[in-house]
Amino acid sequence: MKVRNAECLAVHPGWRKNLIFIRLELEDGTVGWGESYSQYDRDEAVAAQARELLRYLVGRDVFNIRYFCQVAFDDYAQRRSSLEFWSALSGIEMAMWDAVGKLLEQPVYRLLGGRCRERVRVYANGWGYKLKTPDDYARAAEQVVADGHTALKFDPLPRPWRTYVPRDHIQHAVAVVRAVRNAVGPNVELLLDLHRRLAPVHAIELAKRLEELDPYWIEEPCQKENMEAIQEVRAATTIPVVTGEALYGRADFRSVFRSRAADIINPDVSNCGGILELLFIAAQAETEMIAVSPHNYNSTLLSLSATVHASACMPNFTITEYFVPFESFSQQVSPQALKPVDGCIAVPELPGLGLQIDEQVLRSMPAQPYPTRSLRHSEDDLAATF
């Protein structure tokens, strides 16, 4: 069955960044949907890459998913990697799986070998956006737990993002985590995202001071270009260390496995190459006895569903990401938008990714220009105290 039309839609969900959706229409009228990872100020570049790549999918058999991905990397990209390329390819690959599942009247997970679990555990993220004081975090965390979530992720460090930070940044982070732990109790998991911020000396100091608060993990303590630095942090703490959201494709994860830098990896289905690539990466990790917790800074619509289908098929899956602020948007666009119950999401059973998309609603929310951010204007904020 060939692809007749292909389209990229940029949409504003009402919170932070624009989202990028892929729509494929087959010869028989079947429509497949996917979602590419986006980032503020870079969403137009991702959408442009998707539109260019989609030209080479029209006229091809939608069942040849692996072959198209290989052609895209070898011939289209000439083996030159980038966030924009991998995000575009991921959304397209996802839409191909959705279309194939609908043609065969099967949920995607069955086409991937069947599920290992009926429910997928999630952690809530996005609830801590722009919070400042420890008490702010504590009160917000209480509400998220009251809404039924059993695991919370947040970044406890204050801005600005810098490699070398003063002592009061470390003290603030510890105070935030302590306040949240005291607010939600010992049975709620706390996942700490450091966003590739710190030099090992600071990450290790922070980790040692946080161990008594029993966090579930520390995510991306250092920049992914230096796996030895991340491994140094892992060797110095009992807290599990995570990396992988900024790695794209199987080849990028070789450095993680070879250096033993992480206990858990978090590739994102919307930028790592898609559903099948995510499973390939997970299989690599399984042989190294490393767990997989897929990243998902995307909508709770298509990317979340794709993540859940893939996660259901992973023996070494642990938990995945659920962005609370995108929940309302997703439920407007699809009545089947996934929502956790008691901290878990049931694996969808409808064909494809299991979602019916209301195109009229989706097209009524066009992308919006992202306002210019306040970037660095002075060198005064670079000084750190060891």
Side-chain angles (χ1 to χ4, degrees):
M1 182 69 67
K2 292 183 179 180
V3 176
R4 180 170 61 192
N5 293 306
E7 187 177 4
C8 174
L9 301 173
V11 174
H12 188 66
W15 184 75
R16 296 194 77 179
K17 64 177 187 173
N18 294 315
L19 301 176
I20 298 172
F21 296 103
I22 305 298
R23 181 187 183 277
L24 305 181
E25 183 179 334
L26 308 186
E27 290 175 309
D28 69 344
T30 299
V31 174
W33 289 92
E35 181 177 351
S36 296
Y37 177 85
S38 62
Q39 192 178 60
Y40 38 80
D41 293 333
R42 298 173 74 174
D43 54 302
E44 289 188 12
V46 173
Q49 187 85 139
R51 292 184 180 108
E52 291 297 322
L53 184 52
L54 282 169
R55 295 189 299 136
Y56 296 94
L57 180 60
V58 173
R60 292 180 181 268
D61 188 337
V62 75
F63 281 90
N64 293 334
I65 298 173
R66 287 195 68 179
Y67 181 65
F68 178 74
C69 290
Q70 194 65 51
V71 167
F73 184 67
D74 288 347
D75 301 340
Y76 171 82
Q78 297 185 345
R79 300 183 177 178
R80 294 179 183 270
S81 185
S82 71
L83 167 67
E84 290 75 18
F85 167 75
W86 284 108
S87 297
L89 179 61
S90 299
I92 294 169
E93 192 260 13
M94 191 188 303
M96 294 176 77
W97 278 111
D98 186 42
V100 166
K102 290 172 179 175
L103 285 172
L104 299 179
E105 299 184 347
Q106 293 291 331
V108 167
Y109 79 81
R110 288 187 181 171
L111 308 180
L112 300 172
R115 67 189 182 194
C116 301
R117 58 188 57 81
E118 295 181 355
R119 298 194 307 159
V120 168
R121 192 180 184 194
V122 301
Y123 60 82
N125 199 0
W127 60 272
Y129 182 56
K130 287 191 174 181
L131 298 181
K132 293 184 178 180
T133 71
D135 188 65
D136 290 340
Y137 280 89
R139 301 291 80 78
E142 287 175 333
Q143 183 59 57
V144 178
V145 172
D147 290 339
H149 292 281
T150 62
L152 316 177
K153 189 166 89 170
F154 56 102
D155 185 338
L157 285 163
R159 292 179 181 271
W161 290 20
R162 298 294 178 260
T163 305
Y164 308 99
V165 296
R167 286 195 181 96
D168 62 335
H169 281 214
I170 301 297
Q171 293 165 353
H172 175 87
V174 174
V176 166
V177 178
R178 189 180 305 280
V180 173
R181 174 58 76 203
N182 289 340
V184 302
N187 297 323
V188 173
E189 301 291 4
L190 305 184
L191 296 74
L192 309 180
D193 192 350
L194 304 188
H195 286 111
R196 306 168 293 283
R197 292 215 209 179
L198 301 177
V201 62
H202 298 309
I204 290 169
E205 178 189 1
L206 178 58
K208 287 185 177 297
R209 295 185 61 179
L210 290 174
E211 285 178 349
E212 65 173 304
L213 299 173
D214 195 26
Y216 189 87
W217 75 37
I218 288 180
E219 180 180 331
E220 297 207 303
C222 310
Q223 294 179 43
K224 56 97 174 178
E225 287 81 8
N226 192 332
M227 283 297 159
E228 292 79 8
I230 299 175
Q231 192 280 332
E232 188 178 340
V233 177
R234 181 179 180 240
T237 182
T238 59
I239 303 172
V241 171
V242 180
T243 194
E245 71 173 78
L247 302 175
Y248 316 118
R250 281 163 283 169
D252 275 8
F253 283 84
R254 292 172 66 247
S255 61
V256 182
F257 303 141
R258 289 187 173 188
S259 63
R260 304 297 300 176
D263 301 281
I264 305 167
I265 57 169
N266 65 334
D268 190 314
V269 72
S270 288
N271 68 28
C272 77
I275 294 172
L276 201 56
E277 193 72 12
L278 177 58
L279 288 175
F280 289 155
I281 294 165
Q284 284 180 291
E286 186 182 1
T287 66
E288 303 293 340
M289 291 184 283
I290 292 172
V292 182
S293 172
H295 180 266
N296 188 38
Y297 176 30
N298 308 295
S299 78
T300 57
L301 199 65
L302 294 154
S303 289
L304 178 63
S305 184
T307 298
V308 168
H309 278 275
S311 298
C313 302
M314 294 178 196
N316 52 336
F317 168 81
T318 56
I319 194 169
T320 192
E321 189 162 21
Y322 182 88
F323 254 85
V324 177
F326 291 134
E327 185 177 75
S328 175
F329 159 81
S330 299
Q331 291 172 358
Q332 291 179 62
V333 175
S334 175
Q336 296 85 24
L338 304 182
K339 189 173 180 180
V341 176
D342 297 328
C344 294
I345 290 175
V347 179
E349 293 292 346
L350 294 174
L353 293 177
L355 303 176
Q356 296 175 351
I357 302 299
D358 189 327
E359 286 193 45
Q360 184 175 359
V361 172
L362 192 67
R363 292 178 186 275
S364 71
M365 304 177 182
Q368 298 178 11
Y370 199 85
T372 302
R373 292 176 287 159
S374 178
L375 303 182
R376 185 189 307 172
H377 285 282
S378 169
E379 296 181 0
D380 295 340
D381 61 0
L382 299 182
T385 304
F386 284 84

